[in-house]
Amino acid sequence: MTDITSAPISDADLRRETAAGLAPRIVELIELLFFAYRDFTAGPDKILAEFGFGRAHHRVLHFVNRYPGLRVADLLDILKITKQSLARVLKQLVEQGYIEQRAGTSDRRERLLFTTDKGAQLAERLMEPQKQRIGKAIELAGQGGADTMARLMLALIDRGEQAAVEALIHREDSGAKGKTET
């Protein structure tokens, strides 16, 4: 196994490896991404299991909590899942009191999503182990680590989606607003 603690490879070296058809470091990075994702989701997965929920529930709770009043259509676009898949998960979260649906103000057919206090608490609980893991990684990466990590993750997103993702995560009104009492 390659020593993954070796000196960082430069972008120029990585481009040369790729251009030469010799990309062992890229394969190593792919594997690291698999392991990082496994461990990044492990904490929330344990919490979700307590409720009989899965990762789809986590994603829905996360985005509804971060963007109160999110339209169902926008959530479908963010998650890139079918209406049928979302309907099943959303039904469970609504029935169990984690999410509330409201009619749109300008278009009553539009469904706007809000976490209840119970939903917001669960969303925050699920995010806590991930915040700790990312915080430690940034600390270990040193100065500029967060910016480098953000650039790398954004670069992994399809180019046609990058602007929309940046606009979403930098929205002025993001955060825990619009909660409802349960």
Side-chain angles (χ1 to χ4, degrees), residues 63-75:
F63 285 106
V64 172
N65 191 55
R66 286 278 297 143
Y67 308 104
L70 187 65
R71 295 179 321 143
V72 170
D74 293 332
L75 184 57

Side-chain angles (χ1 to χ4, degrees), residues 16-60:
R16 276 193 295 280
E17 280 187 13
T18 303
L22 307 170
R25 188 65 189 238
I26 291 175
V27 173
E28 184 179 290
L29 292 171
I30 290 167
E31 290 177 4
L32 285 170
L33 189 57
F34 282 130
F35 287 117
Y37 180 73
R38 177 199 66 192
D39 293 348
F40 181 72
T41 57
D45 283 350
K46 288 177 188 170
I47 297 166
L48 290 162
E50 295 173 23
F51 298 88
F53 291 160
R55 289 182 185 162
H57 296 86
H58 183 191
R59 289 187 296 269
V60 169

Side-chain angles (χ1 to χ4, degrees), residues 3-174:
D3 180 10
I4 60 174
T5 60
S6 60
I9 190 168
S10 72
D11 290 343
D13 288 341
L14 194 56
R15 281 192 295 276
R16 276 193 295 280
E17 280 187 13
T18 303
L22 307 170
R25 188 65 189 238
I26 291 175
V27 173
E28 184 179 290
L29 292 171
I30 290 167
E31 290 177 4
L32 285 170
L33 189 57
F34 282 130
F35 287 117
Y37 180 73
R38 177 199 66 192
D39 293 348
F40 181 72
T41 57
D45 283 350
K46 288 177 188 170
I47 297 166
L48 290 162
E50 295 173 23
F51 298 88
F53 291 160
R55 289 182 185 162
H57 296 86
H58 183 191
R59 289 187 296 269
V60 169
L61 273 170
H62 174 84
F63 285 106
V64 172
N65 191 55
R66 286 278 297 143
Y67 308 104
L70 187 65
R71 295 179 321 143
V72 170
D74 293 332
L75 184 57
L76 284 167
D77 190 48
I78 289 168
L79 299 177
K80 302 290 185 211
I81 60 173
T82 65
K83 285 182 186 180
Q84 184 178 10
S85 295
L86 178 60
R88 180 186 56 79
V89 170
L90 198 52
K91 181 179 183 212
Q92 287 179 301
L93 291 169
V94 169
E95 286 177 352
Q96 293 184 33
Y98 293 96
I99 289 182
E100 178 183 281
Q101 295 183 76
R102 300 180 195 163
T105 52
S106 60
D107 183 349
R108 305 293 294 163
R109 296 170 297 177
E110 197 172 60
R111 289 186 299 156
L112 306 179
L113 304 172
F114 297 85
T115 51
T116 61
D117 286 339
K118 179 180 172 180
Q121 288 171 7
L122 180 54
E124 292 297 326
R125 184 175 169 210
L126 291 166
M127 194 186 312
E128 191 55 37
Q130 293 179 323
K131 286 169 37 178
Q132 289 178 13
R133 185 171 294 277
I134 294 286
K136 286 178 185 174
I138 289 168
E139 186 178 314
L140 288 171
Q143 186 174 1
D147 292 335
T148 299
M149 188 173 183
R151 281 194 311 275
L152 288 171
M153 286 193 292
L154 187 62
L156 289 172
I157 297 167
D158 288 341
R159 191 172 290 214
E161 295 285 324
Q162 290 175 0
V165 168
E166 282 191 294
L168 176 68
I169 64 175
H170 294 113
R171 273 178 38 175
E172 291 291 325
D173 60 342
S174 68

